[in-house]
Amino acid sequence: MMLSKNKLSILCFIISLGTYAQKKNTNTKPYPYGNPVIKHMYTADASPHVMPDGRVWMVTSVDHEDGGGYATMHSYHTFSSKDMVNWTDHGEVLNIYDVIGKNEEPKGEDWALWAPDMVYYEGKYYLYFPVRILYKEGGYDEKNRKTTAYIAVAVSDSPDKKFKVINSKIEGTNGIDPAVFIDDDGQKYLYYGSHMAAKLKDNMTELDGKPVKLDVDDERFMEAIWMNKKAGKYYLSYHTHYDKPIDPKNPDDLFRKKSRLDYGISDNPLGPFEYKGIMNYELGVNVNEGPKYPGKNYVPWRLYQSNHGGIVEYHGEEYLFYHTSALSSWRQDEFKEAGTWTQRSVCIDKIVYDESGQIRPVQQTLSSVAPVIVNQPYEIILDTKSNIIKNNIIEFKNIDLGTGYYYAGLNIKGIKTPTKCAIHLDKADGELIGTFVIKKDGKTETLLRNANGKHTIYLVFDKNFSTNTTITSAKIFAGSPK
Ligand code: FUB
């Protein structure tokens, strides 16, 4: 019997689904290691941020329990922790049906929700996610498949509640893996896809101008951008191109492209970025503990799969969130061969810099990181009665920011025109750690970066500030987890 090309490809597709189903995991023994940190389900593509409750939150994409590849990823979960070790699952916050409508059918391979990011701004949580669509014209054909992808945004009042899609396609975007970065001057940026970036408007849902192609290392760059700022420099990390799995007979194959995270540094959030090398080795390679191939420095889990990094600073240390298939491979009940499972799980290890500000390749561990213990007040109220504004500047002496505070809030009466207020350390033109964008209602909050230790804090208002205004309250908060 002759099959048409279309029927043949549908048959191949059904067979491939069958193959995934055969791999269903039956090992229910408790997983014995610290990494991955989420063990009751498969999570990938973590985006970590400290939120106003002082906890670290991450949104993750979800790998299907039966395998099935990245095209069957249909939901996002949020998780939070106050010590980086114990994580609470807050459940599903967005599902494919919230995107395509209840009456549509995602049909397995047609639609997928890939790596998301979630940020807080002015009382709301914004979830950025890529909608990745596989064209079906002429039937499904794995080899010649066509895909399209763009970035959408959803909003919620709380990171543990359902998000509502408010812009189902951010005009001008084309690609996957959004990451949002808020700079100390209050400017927001959206990074995504094949090294693209654009400014975001203050409404957080539209681009402010055309996206630009970032000048990074084109040859190695593949996906999964993350922007991190440290000591005034912009660190852009990303996932490199990879090709075939590690070959136990030739594990040191120099010509194999590896699934790594690399990075570049710039003085500007939009580059150009100078290539600096490896941030995270290939998954499974150079892990300091756990089972190994005899005589080799790699663990026998699936090495040929995506990597994806997210960085967060929490009370004095920086942490890399990435994913491995340690958990799904371990559930094969044996470590006999390189894992074939695609399901990934979020792991956490520390980021360490050398004296020149370069990242040392992260030491991946099976134990993960030590618990963070924070012992300081949640908030510091700034005394706006005894300290008064002179020449648009107000000073607060001897403020102990301890191991880190992550947000500041301001209430002002009498604002006539939108005004900016920069927060500086130790001098009115000292280190900038955040910027309030004050609208007419006078209520505002901002993210703080590098707010730790003992300092004099300066609030410096811009020229739109009028002397007829009164600061009714000012605070620094999120210094310990709730
Ligand atoms: O998880 C699906 C895709 O794989 C992500 O969007 C990529 O970054 C990679 O992790």
Side-chain angles (χ1 to χ4, degrees), residues 45 73 114-115 177 223-224 306-308 323 344:
D45 306 323
M73 297 166 63
W114 282 5
D177 293 357
E223 59 190 14
S306 78
N307 198 335
H308 190 112
H323 54 230
R344 301 153 299 168

Side-chain angles (χ1 to χ4, degrees), residues 44 51 63 155 202 206 273 302 363 404 406 420 437 448 460:
M51 294 301 186
D63 275 353
V155 72
D202 276 344
E206 292 168 298
F273 294 89
R302 184 185 163 96
Q363 174 63 68
Y406 295 89
K420 279 194 173 185
V437 181
L448 297 176
V460 182

Side-chain angles (χ1 to χ4, degrees), residues 379-383 399 474-476:
E379 65 183 12
I380 300 169
I381 305 295
L382 300 176
D383 177 4
I399 305 298
K475 65 177 180 180
I476 306 252

